[in-house]
Amino acid sequence: MRLRNKVALVTGAASGIGREIASAYVREGAKVALADLDLDAALAAARAIDPAGAQTLPLAMDVTDEEQVEAGSARAIQTLGGLDILVSNAGIQIVSPLVDFPFAQWKKMLAVHLDGAFLTTRAAMRHMMGHGGGSIIYMGSVHSKLASKLKAPYVTAKHGLLGLARTVAREGAEHGIRANVICPGFVMTPLVEKQIPEQAREFGISEQEVIEKIMLKDTVDQQFTTLADVAEAAIFFASFQSAALTGQSLLVSHGWAME
């Protein structure tokens, strides 16, 4: 088991990518705090992943709320015995042309993706600095590297995570803290499923054309990235043993973007 005796906090863990990472971490021997805005969903995810309840802790957490992040992180550390891994995964998507984008929605998008990453990182680092270090993993996107129409705040936020990870890598190095970004392609989660009809309406094309001509057009095999693909990358970053791998980003996108 690659994460035996490790403790992880995963945000946005009740569904989609976050839930898959939490499940993979438990299989690899870690104890995992599943933090989510929806506590009932986090409880259900924890029961499904760990029926005995020995390796999971469901937490209610709005990652844009400083008090909730501090309290939830402290509870995870106290209950599970530390914090070695943070996966900053919580995210939302709102699709709209920039000229029509309400400022309130812009601020909400950046708050979830960037304020949430900052607040959870700060809480994690404060513990990790005195306890042997750890691994901080941000859920970026191919949109950390490229841009698409209708996604101005999402692209902006995902680009911003690269800068945050590189800064954390610098500041955390002397304390044994590594920071990296996973950049998936389109994964068929509720977040992506919701975009298909939205983009079909905006572009005046069919939903199948959205999939074929927008989402998968530039992949090498016209395949969606899977939850398991992303979870494996999260295990890789969490289990890597040295600062040889820090401040980096890993594209997991079937070749949609290449570096």
Side-chain angles (χ1 to χ4, degrees):
M1 290 185 178
R2 289 172 283 180
L3 300 178
R4 186 186 297 276
N5 299 323
K6 299 295 185 181
V7 176
L9 170 64
V10 182
T11 66
S15 64
I17 289 173
R19 176 170 170 162
E20 186 71 17
I21 290 173
S23 179
Y25 279 6
V26 167
R27 290 196 302 272
E28 291 292 337
K31 294 180 180 178
V32 182
L34 288 83
D36 201 275
L37 193 62
D38 186 339
L39 179 58
D40 288 340
L43 285 163
R47 283 195 297 266
I49 291 168
D50 176 33
Q55 288 180 252
T56 55
L57 173 68
L59 292 172
M61 184 184 290
D62 176 349
V63 297
T64 70
D65 185 308
E66 183 176 9
E67 290 185 4
Q68 286 193 34
V69 170
E70 290 293 326
S73 299
R75 185 179 170 206
I77 291 165
Q78 181 178 18
T79 303
L80 299 180
L83 183 60
D84 306 292
I85 305 157
L86 167 67
V87 181
S88 176
N89 167 74
I92 59 172
Q93 179 62 282
I94 303 169
V95 175
S96 173
L98 188 147
V99 294
D100 298 326
F101 218 103
F103 186 38
Q105 298 288 64
W106 170 275
K107 290 189 287 186
K108 179 180 180 180
M109 286 282 293
L110 266 62
V112 172
H113 290 273
L114 290 180
D115 294 355
F118 160 71
L119 289 171
T120 53
T121 295
R122 189 181 65 179
M125 286 186 73
R126 285 172 173 171
H127 175 79
M128 291 175 178
M129 287 172 71
H131 295 85
S135 176
I136 296 176
I137 301 166
Y138 300 102
M139 194 52 59
S141 166
V142 167
H143 287 107
S144 298
K145 311 285 186 172
L146 305 174
S148 293
K149 293 179 179 179
L150 309 180
K151 298 182 179 181
Y154 186 81
V155 171
T156 300
K158 293 303 188 183
H159 273 67
L161 290 176
L162 296 178
L164 178 59
R166 291 164 182 162
T167 303
V168 172
R170 293 287 185 190
E171 293 191 11
E174 66 183 285
H175 306 286
I177 299 170
R178 298 178 293 105
N180 294 288
V181 186
I182 301 172
C183 298
F186 283 106
V187 182
M188 194 53 81
T189 63
L191 196 71
V192 169
E193 290 172 356
K194 178 175 176 287
Q195 293 177 51
I196 295 172
E198 290 174 341
Q199 294 199 46
R201 287 193 298 270
E202 289 286 348
F203 292 124
I205 59 179
S206 70
E207 293 185 14
Q208 188 60 34
E209 286 176 311
V210 171
I211 293 172
E212 294 176 355
K213 296 183 178 181
I214 296 176
M215 292 185 167
L216 303 182
K217 177 175 71 71
D218 292 322
T219 63
V220 297
D221 54 6
Q222 291 70 59
Q223 297 294 315
F224 282 98
T225 303
T226 68
L227 294 170
D229 293 332
V230 182
E232 187 61 32
I235 293 169
F236 173 64
F237 275 142
S239 61
F240 201 84
Q241 294 298 310
S242 79
L245 186 62
T246 192
Q248 303 302 314
S249 56
L250 179 62
L251 285 155
V252 186
S253 67
H254 287 253
W256 171 12
M258 300 184 186
E259 290 184 328

